[in-house]
Amino acid sequence: MKILAFDTSSEYCSIALWLERDILGEEVLAGQRHSELVLPMVSRMLGETGLTLTQLDGIAFGSGPGSFTGLRIACGIAQGLACGAGLPVIGIGTLEALAQQAGGTRVIVALDARMQEIYHAAYRKVLDEWQAVSEPTLCLPQDAPPIQIQEQDWTGCGSGFDMYPEVLHSRYEGYLNHIIRGVRPDARAIVQLAAPRFARGQGVDPADAAPLYIRNKVALKEKER
């Protein structure tokens, strides 16, 4: 199975190619240049492997939450490439991808959402699948959802833990065993999660792909602040 994946949900742009369990990946600091960089990166990686889009089995993308513009770019490019090549697509949540990168079997993910808020989710691995213990949500760090199951030794990761380490450590005192700094969404984790789903036939028509924003409003009016 051959799967292409990319993520543009943060200031970084990353792509990955799944080749029968081998993974090739590339990441660059893009700033605001994701739309300029991602297609040349894809073209270069396919060229290096001698593949064309029509030889792939599917395309995956980081569906969010994350940068509004970045999520639209990822979804739009996935739809365009997949439509042209007749391929199915799968959107992979960035919070689940962060849990995949953290390793272990119980992970609390907090991604900086700006405006003094975080995107939050908690996952535990059952067999080879991540199950959401706490579904992705937007909240203040001090209001992060509690862990409802009596399991300890959780790992924390994501830029929310980088921004609000003391608040989140206090919130999950007695549960957190380890915090991993500097973890950001990466296409290699996305393609790892997407490959078995494509193998199970869970890819969708490109027209049905959509970003996961969570936050409905990008900015507040002055009277709402």
Side-chain angles (χ1 to χ4, degrees):
M1 182 164 283
K2 305 175 186 67
I3 306 296
L4 172 68
F6 46 85
D7 181 81
T8 59
S9 66
S10 72
E11 67 270 26
Y12 286 82
C13 179
S14 62
I15 68 169
L17 192 61
W18 174 280
L19 298 172
E20 309 300 342
R21 295 186 176 274
D22 290 330
I23 299 176
L24 302 177
E26 181 182 356
E27 179 189 67
V28 297
L29 179 59
Q32 303 297 319
R33 299 175 58 229
H34 299 85
S35 59
E36 301 173 32
L37 296 173
V38 64
L39 286 175
M41 290 170 68
V42 168
S43 179
R44 183 167 58 251
M45 182 168 286
L46 291 176
E48 290 173 353
T49 56
L51 293 172
T52 63
L53 283 172
T54 56
Q55 292 176 296
L56 300 177
D57 296 290
I59 295 176
F61 67 99
S63 60
S67 159
F68 276 63
T69 300
L71 299 184
R72 289 195 295 268
I73 289 171
C75 184
I77 290 177
Q79 289 175 314
L81 294 178
C83 281
L87 299 173
V89 301
I90 287 180
I92 298 293
T94 49
L95 300 182
E96 185 180 356
L98 287 169
Q100 177 75 9
Q101 291 165 235
T105 58
R106 291 182 288 274
V107 183
I108 299 170
V109 182
L111 190 64
D112 180 29
R114 301 187 179 182
M115 299 171 65
Q116 299 182 331
E117 294 177 309
I118 58 172
Y119 297 117
H120 174 281
Y123 299 93
R124 62 175 175 174
K125 182 168 278 189
V126 179
L127 299 177
D128 292 327
E129 296 288 328
W130 288 103
Q131 294 184 354
V133 174
S134 180
E135 295 287 346
T137 190
L138 176 71
C139 61
L140 296 170
Q142 60 268 31
D143 295 332
I147 298 299
Q148 300 290 351
I149 58 176
Q150 299 302 311
E151 293 179 346
Q152 297 180 342
D153 298 330
W154 290 77
T155 296
C157 74
S159 56
F161 279 97
D162 298 336
M163 289 287 293
Y164 309 103
E166 294 181 1
V167 174
L168 291 172
H169 189 275
S170 175
R171 184 68 173 163
Y172 294 110
E173 187 173 1
Y175 287 93
L176 276 177
N177 182 54
H178 182 51
I179 295 176
I180 304 176
R181 307 285 187 179
V183 180
R184 55 181 175 265
D186 188 278
R188 284 167 288 199
I190 289 169
V191 84
Q192 287 176 343
L193 294 169
R197 300 178 193 185
F198 277 116
R200 293 194 294 266
Q202 294 176 343
V204 302
D205 187 281
D208 295 327
L212 174 64
Y213 291 122
I214 296 185
R215 172 181 280 148
N216 293 321
K217 301 184 74 172
V218 183
L220 296 177
K221 298 178 181 178
E222 184 175 346
K223 67 181 181 180
E224 294 176 307
R225 293 176 185 151

